[in-house]
Amino acid sequence: MTKYDAFREEVEGRANVEDSPELIAYYRELERLKTGALWTVANKIEPWQPKSDSVPVIWRYRDLREHVMRSVRLVTPERAGRRVIFLENPGRRDVSAAVGWLYSGLQVMHPGELASAHRHSSSALRFIMEGTGAYTIVDGHKMTLGANDFVLTPNGTWHEHGVEETGTPCIWQDGLDIPLVNALEAGFYAVHPDLHQAVGFPVDDCVSMWGAAGLRPHLVSWNKPYSPLFKYQWEPTYAALKMYATESDENPFDGALMHYTNPVSGGHVMATVGASMQLLRPGFRGKAHRHTGSVLYQVAKGEGYSIINGYRFDWRERDIFCVPSWAWHEHVNISATDDACLFSFNDLPVMEKLALFYEEALADNAGHQPVSSEAAP
Ligand code: 1HN
């Protein structure tokens, strides 16, 4: 029994009013006055504990890749704006979310293609899945991108993407907070007046300036609400994780978990979206916990499975899966010889700022969930 079940048993007095002809007539009168009786909706709008409409889902790359590639023949980036296949959670179709208030999609671009510049009040990121020659330009800063690199296009920045003529077809995951921004009714969107922006700085200058571990440039100031480091490369990230994994006590839930940070503040990379990479050593079997906030994972390396709300989801490189808010989850690396790495992004900066972050370890069953013998619904 969780502490919430115990709490529920102790508490009386939830709404329990039976309909009568007079009450039904009364409700109609209230409705005409654009009002309602709280006791008819109280149990729904005040759940005992977070109740996500999102369901755990895995999107396997081997199922999706061919369909993503097919879109290249069907639409151009000019026509489509962005050539993206988005991930739709069956419980969140109404807001086009992959989980909770987070959007995700797979974007594909061929060598020589480029998409026009725009900006919006949503914060966005991309995680490169395959291909060479991809680049993103953010407010005049051009960044070259390779597999497992992570790039930010923070809210309000002009951004555009392309693949060099000499490159190969590229696919990356886009992650955005669009559903959240729309829920808050704060969405703005603009196309760049010249359709493209001039590159105003040396290529990859943000990495030269802000990318040195533990060092901050003296003469450059930064006071925007997002990281000035727009690109986090895979090699130094992986090296940092391996180093951390040998030196630290293991986090029982997440193995060696590190957060991409704003080098100026040490905080999350953007105001509404955080991102992390974790390394699960060979044979790692994590314990189950749950927390508020939604998370989308992308497998950067290795093979394993996660148990989410009692269902097992087997994953391998480039698969994407989601953990809805307050869902139990535990991760396992099935290899006895190789480590596994999970990239993830989340809305935890929002939960933290609003003082809505709660976390709980599974106490029962030595910290592991019973696993359903059925496939996930
Ligand atoms: C966007 O700006 C991109 O910049 C991708 O590539 C997907 C989905 C909705 C709104 C903006 C991009 C997007 C998006």
Side-chain angles (χ1 to χ4, degrees), residues 81-82 84 103 105 107 109 115-116 118 120 122 124 126 153 159-161 172 174 176 178 189:
R82 293 294 194 255
V84 179
Y103 160 101
Q107 185 160 177
M109 243 184 220
S116 59
H118 65 197
H120 35 67
S122 282
R126 34 207 51 87
T153 55
H159 57 278
E160 63 193 274
H161 320 291
W172 58 83
D174 292 316
L176 293 97
I178 307 175
Y189 187 103

Side-chain angles (χ1 to χ4, degrees), residues 50-52 54 99-102 272 289-297 322-329 345-352 356-359:
K51 202 185 155 310
S52 184
S54 305
V99 63
W101 297 105
L102 296 172
T272 52
H289 74 155
R290 61 179 175 180
H291 51 76
T292 50
S294 305
V295 184
L296 263 168
Y297 291 86
C322 69
V323 173
S325 185
W326 210 236
W328 293 113
H329 55 286
F345 68 95
N346 58 66
D347 57 6
L348 296 179
V350 178
M351 304 318 253
E352 289 168 11
L356 291 172
F357 183 75
Y358 296 86
E359 184 178 18

Side-chain angles (χ1 to χ4, degrees), residues 61 72 75 216 249 258-259:
Y61 198 59
V72 175
V75 294
R216 186 159 63 83
D249 283 341
M258 298 185 99
H259 305 302

Side-chain angles (χ1 to χ4, degrees), residues 235-250:
E235 288 80 10
T237 304
Y238 183 50
L241 279 166
K242 279 201 294 199
M243 213 150 58
Y244 178 53
T246 56
E247 290 301 324
S248 68
D249 283 341
E250 197 162 70

Side-chain angles (χ1 to χ4, degrees), residues 2 5 11 15 31 41 65 85 114 145 287 298 313 339 350-351:
T2 71
D5 294 328
V11 176
E31 210 176 301
V41 297
R65 185 179 184 278
I85 304 306
L114 72 174
L145 302 168
K287 292 193 170 187
Q298 175 168 330
F313 296 85
D339 50 35
V350 178
M351 304 318 253

